[in-house]
Amino acid sequence: EKLSNFFFLDRYLNKNGITGKNQIISILDSPLDFYHSMFYDSTVQVKLNTYMPNHRKIVYYNFPGNLNDLMNSITENEHGTHVAGTAAGKSICSNDDKDTSYFNGNAPDAKILFAGNFSTVTTNELQQLMNNYNSKISSNSWSTIGPYNLRNYQYGHLAELNPNLTFIFAAGNDYMTNGNFSIYDPSSSKNILTVGSLDNFYT
């Protein structure tokens, strides 16, 4: 059945031509399920650690293993799939009788460089991938638990060395517990952009 009883705001930026076209967003997170309808391309097979300019969504997928290793590691509720979809997902469902296109990402025409797992990829590796594949935006919906001076320095320094790149981090999920002191590292780093959310947009 079709969706009902949910709020949906007009996509002001998308309707005015800002859709992410010709942009590549780097995602550093847990695995991205490229079989998901927001990313799937029936005409181009995903190849790991290989440039894929013709894939409709993913230009590069960094993973330290083979395709079977990746598929065996992906879980049902993978965070990387969620955040990549929020950033640049675009439903491929041709008969969209369930209105899945309402859940397209904020930049539905952007492509994705999956840079790898946030716990293993270094800032130097991230920088190299972004520069190699012309990605100017890095989206990171993760942080450490509590202060982490080394991570703070690493990402602040990375941004300082690459003023042409934008590194975006999440403010975190702990405001209800720790209030204004809930933004941990590297989200609190000087030269990166940290984004929070409203508890209830409609109030």
Side-chain angles (χ1 to χ4, degrees):
E1 65 186 50
K2 294 179 82 67
L3 296 171
S4 61
N5 299 321
F6 77 104
F7 293 103
F8 181 79
L9 296 177
D10 276 344
R11 293 174 175 257
Y12 177 82
L13 294 177
N14 289 174
K15 285 189 172 183
N16 285 277
I18 301 175
T19 64
K21 187 175 182 180
N22 298 323
Q23 297 299 315
I24 298 173
I25 301 175
S26 292
I27 303 289
L28 195 62
D29 210 283
S30 69
L32 160 62
D33 182 358
F34 54 82
Y35 283 113
H36 192 286
S37 63
M38 291 290 173
F39 316 105
Y40 183 65
D41 187 337
S42 61
T43 64
V44 179
Q45 182 179 0
V46 168
K47 295 181 180 179
L48 302 179
N49 310 312
T50 303
Y51 183 44
M52 299 175 288
N54 297 321
H55 193 283
R56 78 173 188 102
K57 272 290 148 191
I58 303 167
V59 298
Y60 192 89
Y61 200 118
N62 183 35
F63 183 78
N66 60 40
L67 204 55
N68 285 335
D69 295 332
L70 172 60
M71 298 314 299
N72 289 331
S73 72
I74 294 177
T75 63
E76 182 179 358
N77 297 309
E78 203 63 75
H79 191 259
T81 303
H82 155 58
V83 298
T86 300
K90 188 172 184 179
S91 177
I92 199 174
C93 297
S94 56
N95 298 318
D96 193 11
D97 59 343
K98 296 188 184 301
D99 294 330
T100 57
S101 62
Y102 278 114
F103 300 99
N104 285 351
N106 288 288
D109 291 332
K111 290 195 175 187
I112 294 169
L113 187 166
F114 185 75
N117 193 293
F118 65 91
S119 63
T120 59
V121 174
T122 68
T123 53
N124 286 338
E125 290 171 330
L126 176 61
Q127 171 186 260
Q128 184 174 4
L129 284 168
M130 292 180 71
N131 286 327
N132 283 351
Y133 300 105
N134 198 32
S135 172
K136 304 299 182 186
I137 303 168
S138 171
S139 179
N140 306 273
S141 293
W142 56 271
S143 70
T144 59
I145 299 175
Y148 193 154
N149 290 338
L150 177 59
R151 278 286 173 93
N152 186 305
Y153 167 78
Q154 288 173 331
Y155 279 88
H157 187 54
L158 178 64
E160 181 184 15
L161 292 176
N162 296 275
N164 59 321
L165 308 181
T166 301
F167 297 91
I168 304 172
F169 275 84
N173 301 318
D174 295 327
Y175 180 81
M176 295 301 292
T177 303
N178 297 314
N180 293 334
F181 298 95
S182 64
I183 300 177
Y184 301 135
D185 295 324
S187 303
S188 64
S189 189
K190 178 181 179 182
N191 298 314
I192 59 96
L193 173 63
T194 298
V195 179
S197 65
L198 297 173
D199 183 51
N200 189 331
F201 187 84
Y202 300 96
T203 59

